[in-house]
Amino acid sequence: MEYIIIIIGAIFVNNIVLNQFLGICPFMGVSKKINTAVGMGGAVLFVMTLATIVTWLIQNYILDPLGIGFLQTIFFILVIAALVQMVEIILKKVSPSLFQALGIFLPLITTNCAVLGVAILTVQKEFTLMEGVVYAISNAIGFSLALLIFSGIREHLDLMEVPKGMRGVPIALVTAGILALAFMGFSNLV
């Protein structure tokens, strides 16, 4: 039951983008087309899960025992950047087609604060490793869901006659705000 609460809470109630406002840059920048949103969602799922596992292990087996938990943010940033670079190198060698498919998304994830935020929140909420993995996967699914919905709406808005002063970023921000309000309807779900 606890895992179900974590899943529903991370995807709908405390959506990483629409409720906690982490990962707004890729949310706004990669949401113009659905196919790019799908690619970014998959890349975030992979990196967020892997980063959460590694950062949880570092926190619990290195930082806490040595009493240097105050260096958490610096360590986590370095770990995420290194993980993204390693994944990029491995994918280039092992699966060039997947590397080409992900393209620019892997380097973008290095600067995605949602990945760092989930890693830190996993430690702050004192999750076990398994709960942390479920939390990371659920947050990545929530990020992807919000990104896909938003990109679908933005593609539809490109076909509409939007007033000249509202075209582009202004209508995107208004739409994101309305989407965040829609997700607030889930607030008492868990």
Side-chain angles (χ1 to χ4, degrees), residues 79-91 99 106-107 110:
V79 164
I80 291 168
L83 278 174
V84 170
Q85 290 301 313
M86 283 190 337
V87 167
E88 197 170 351
I89 291 168
I90 291 168
L91 280 179
F99 176 75
L106 277 174
T110 305

Side-chain angles (χ1 to χ4, degrees), residues 7-88:
I7 292 167
I8 292 172
I11 294 174
F12 299 110
V13 179
N14 294 318
N15 187 287
I16 198 80
V17 177
L18 300 174
N19 187 298
Q20 298 181 33
F21 307 113
L22 294 172
I24 295 292
C25 293
F27 180 71
M28 294 300 289
V30 185
S31 61
K32 293 179 182 172
K33 300 287 179 197
I34 289 178
N35 56 352
T36 57
V38 169
M40 184 63 166
V44 165
L45 174 68
F46 181 72
V47 171
M48 191 177 284
T49 305
L50 191 60
T52 300
I53 292 169
V54 173
T55 55
W56 188 92
L57 292 170
I58 287 173
Q59 180 71 37
N60 287 291
Y61 293 112
I62 297 174
L63 298 180
D64 286 347
L66 294 176
I68 53 173
F70 59 92
L71 295 173
Q72 176 190 63
T73 304
I74 295 168
F75 267 87
F76 285 12
I77 289 171
L78 293 173
V79 164
I80 291 168
L83 278 174
V84 170
Q85 290 301 313
M86 283 190 337
V87 167
E88 197 170 351

Side-chain angles (χ1 to χ4, degrees), residues 1 11 20 23-24 34 47 78-79 112 114 144-145 147 151 153 159:
M1 186 66 171
I11 294 174
Q20 298 181 33
I24 295 292
I34 289 178
V47 171
L78 293 173
V79 164
N112 188 348
S144 301
L145 176 67
L147 192 61
S151 62
I153 293 170
L159 303 173

